[in-house]
Amino acid sequence: MSKLKFNELQNKMNLKKQKGQAVNYTYRSAEQILEHFKAQDSGWEVILTDDISEIGGKLFMKSTAIARDADEKHEAIGFAELSEVPILKLKAGGEKKQMTEPQWTGAVSSYARKYALQGLFGIADVDADELELQQEVIQKKEQVKKRDFPKEIKQAKTKDEVIKIAKEAKSFGLGQSILEAYTEKIKEFEG
């Protein structure tokens, strides 16, 4: 096993977020980061500790992530609020706790550890792919601001063209003025 320098280890720890089976978003967990770390066979050791701290009358889980070898030691801290267990409102009325107290404490600890590990290894909370996607969305919004959808609909030559333009406008959350132009133009085609 060849030992990596700490900055080399950080470069290898760039870990993409993954999509969960039961959720509609991508995420990165402390467990995923630790699995990725172990796979690097870097010659470094990681130690995680948790403490509960009171700050401003609220309880927080303070997690410390330490990476060390024989010569160096690096550390980072992550926090997560240790609030009451979330309550779910049931459709049939009533309420139910989302988890037991020990499960909730474990979840909060895992969350704080994730942020401590991300800080330790310099893992950005937003993936580069997400940043590119955000930039694309911003550019599309800027293009939409420059478009005059009602005018485009009024100048459309076919019913299919009107529908296509209206769908584009709808995908950007544009509503009433588009609906009015669409309705007027469709009536014109239906004659």
Side-chain angles (χ1 to χ4, degrees):
M1 163 176 66
S2 63
K3 183 184 167 298
L4 296 174
K5 292 180 181 175
F6 189 69
N7 65 331
E8 293 171 330
L9 175 59
Q10 284 182 313
N11 288 336
K12 289 183 172 269
M13 289 301 297
N14 192 0
L15 176 67
K16 286 188 174 253
K17 291 182 179 180
Q18 298 175 3
K19 183 149 176 62
Q21 293 176 342
V23 294
N24 265 347
Y25 55 89
T26 58
Y27 65 94
R28 187 184 300 113
S29 70
E31 291 78 16
Q32 290 167 334
I33 296 169
L34 287 171
E35 282 179 32
H36 189 68
F37 166 75
K38 289 175 186 174
Q40 301 310 309
D41 197 22
S42 63
W44 287 84
E45 173 185 30
V46 168
I47 301 163
L48 294 166
T49 62
D50 291 333
D51 293 309
I52 295 177
S53 302
E54 184 177 343
I55 303 170
K58 293 183 177 185
L59 293 179
F60 288 87
M61 184 68 69
K62 174 187 172 188
S63 293
T64 304
I66 300 168
R68 71 178 183 191
D69 70 355
D71 304 317
E72 293 179 64
K73 177 181 167 185
H74 301 270
E75 70 179 62
I77 296 171
F79 287 91
E81 184 178 354
L82 187 56
S83 59
E84 296 285 322
V85 177
I87 303 289
L88 299 174
K89 302 246 185 240
L90 303 175
K91 286 183 180 178
E95 298 176 339
K96 178 183 175 187
K97 282 190 174 185
Q98 189 172 340
M99 300 177 187
T100 65
E101 277 78 9
Q103 288 172 323
W104 181 244
T105 301
V108 173
S109 168
S110 182
Y111 197 76
R113 286 177 170 206
K114 174 183 86 162
Y115 283 104
L117 287 165
Q118 284 184 170
L120 179 66
F121 293 122
I123 302 171
D125 196 36
V126 177
D127 292 333
D129 293 343
E130 287 181 67
L131 288 174
E132 286 177 23
L133 185 60
Q134 288 174 359
Q135 290 299 325
E136 286 177 30
V137 168
I138 290 168
Q139 288 173 348
K140 283 183 179 180
K141 284 183 178 180
E142 290 301 316
Q143 291 171 352
V144 168
K145 286 180 184 177
K146 295 175 184 173
R147 287 180 68 178
D148 185 349
F149 285 103
K151 184 178 180 182
E152 288 181 37
I153 288 172
K154 288 176 185 173
Q155 293 175 345
K157 304 288 185 218
T158 66
K159 190 175 181 180
D160 287 340
E161 196 178 342
V162 170
I163 293 169
K164 180 181 176 244
I165 295 166
K167 281 183 180 179
E168 286 177 34
K170 183 179 179 185
S171 72
F172 292 108
L174 303 175
Q176 191 61 38
S177 62
I178 306 304
L179 180 62
E180 290 169 5
Y182 172 82
T183 304
E184 186 178 309
K185 191 67 176 182
I186 293 297
K187 283 181 184 176
E188 184 181 308
F189 281 122
E190 292 174 349

